[in-house]
Amino acid sequence: MSLKNWHIDPTWTLFLDRDGVINRRLEGDYVKRWDDFEFLPGVKEAIALLSKHFRYIFIVSNQQGIGKGIMTHDDLGIIHEKMVQEITEAGGRVDHIYYSPYLESEDHFMRKPNVGMALRARKNHPGLIFKKSFMVGDSLTDMIFGKRVGMKTVMIEDNPNLPRKYPKLMDFSCNSLVAFAAIIHN
Ligand SMILES: [Mg+2]
């Protein structure tokens, strides 16, 4: 199965995980301030390309650092404001950022792999169809989230064999969002 077979057109929606897809994931730590936030190479330009191809682009991000009291909603708001500003300056677009402040242990409906953030996005954006949506993430949690509502899933991972290992969870894998954008664009 190649991405081309899905006949992606501008009625499709793109859901992006944040840490490990847009910015460098910090092992064992949270991005607590803008100084901690590092765009992965080429990602801003990739989002600019993807913005031409998708009706909506959303970020769906678990941020349990808030639930742990390590950072606040305002801290995260500042990071997201600056992130979106840089993406916009590069010619890209983010239609909305959904994030979950809840702890993993709470198993909250609004925390991935539960589907609350996806349902909220659909409620707020008429014309959003999950079957014509991608979830792009770097963890199995993201893949489960996407599959639970019927999205196509793309794992950001430098291992092309992963979809064969988890055929029900992921449709495709790419080593970066840049590689995904290149496939969509060409
Ligand atoms: Mg991630």
Side-chain angles (χ1 to χ4, degrees):
M1 174 60 96
S2 115
L3 279 170
K4 287 286 164 203
N5 298 117
W6 290 327
H7 306 294
I8 296 132
D9 65 38
T11 65
W12 282 60
T13 293
L14 181 62
F15 287 84
L16 299 173
D17 172 43
R18 196 195 78 181
D19 299 323
V21 173
I22 294 174
N23 59 287
R24 199 171 297 286
R25 185 178 187 159
L26 303 179
E27 286 306 321
D29 199 3
Y30 300 96
V31 174
K32 300 182 287 292
R33 60 187 72 81
W34 181 240
D35 282 351
D36 300 334
F37 188 97
E38 183 190 345
F39 277 104
L40 288 166
V43 154
K44 284 184 273 185
E45 294 74 18
I47 295 175
L49 270 186
L50 291 164
S51 298
K52 298 186 210 292
H53 292 274
F54 288 93
R55 176 168 186 178
Y56 298 121
I57 298 181
F58 301 119
I59 295 172
V60 281
S61 183
N62 285 348
Q63 294 294 332
Q64 69 168 338
I66 295 174
K68 289 182 175 175
I70 293 169
M71 57 193 288
T72 66
H73 288 275
D74 285 348
D75 294 335
L76 187 65
I78 291 165
I79 292 165
H80 285 168
E81 196 177 307
K82 291 182 188 286
M83 174 186 76
V84 168
Q85 188 183 336
E86 290 210 10
I87 289 171
T88 306
E89 281 168 7
R93 191 184 86 237
V94 176
D95 293 288
H96 200 83
I97 300 172
Y98 296 92
Y99 69 88
S100 172
Y102 305 102
L103 298 173
E104 186 177 359
S105 57
E106 291 178 84
D107 194 26
H108 197 283
F109 185 62
M110 294 304 288
R111 182 181 159 86
K112 295 180 290 185
N114 299 325
V115 297
M117 291 193 283
L119 296 186
R120 183 160 292 175
R122 186 173 65 177
K123 187 174 176 212
N124 293 340
H125 296 84
L128 194 171
I129 300 164
F130 290 140
K131 279 197 181 324
K132 292 165 88 176
S133 299
F134 282 104
M135 175 66 214
V136 180
D138 70 333
S139 71
L140 290 180
T141 304
D142 299 314
M143 303 297 102
I144 296 165
F145 167 83
K147 279 297 165 198
R148 279 181 171 170
V149 294
M151 295 186 208
K152 315 289 185 219
T153 55
V154 179
M155 184 75 167
I156 298 298
E157 165 72 54
D158 203 3
N159 177 357
N161 294 320
L162 263 191
R164 253 166 281 167
K165 194 172 164 195
Y166 300 101
K168 291 203 169 87
L169 279 185
M170 57 189 84
D171 295 296
F172 202 77
S173 71
C174 278
N175 66 2
S176 66
L177 188 64
V178 174
F180 174 74
I183 294 166
I184 293 290
H185 190 63
N186 289 318

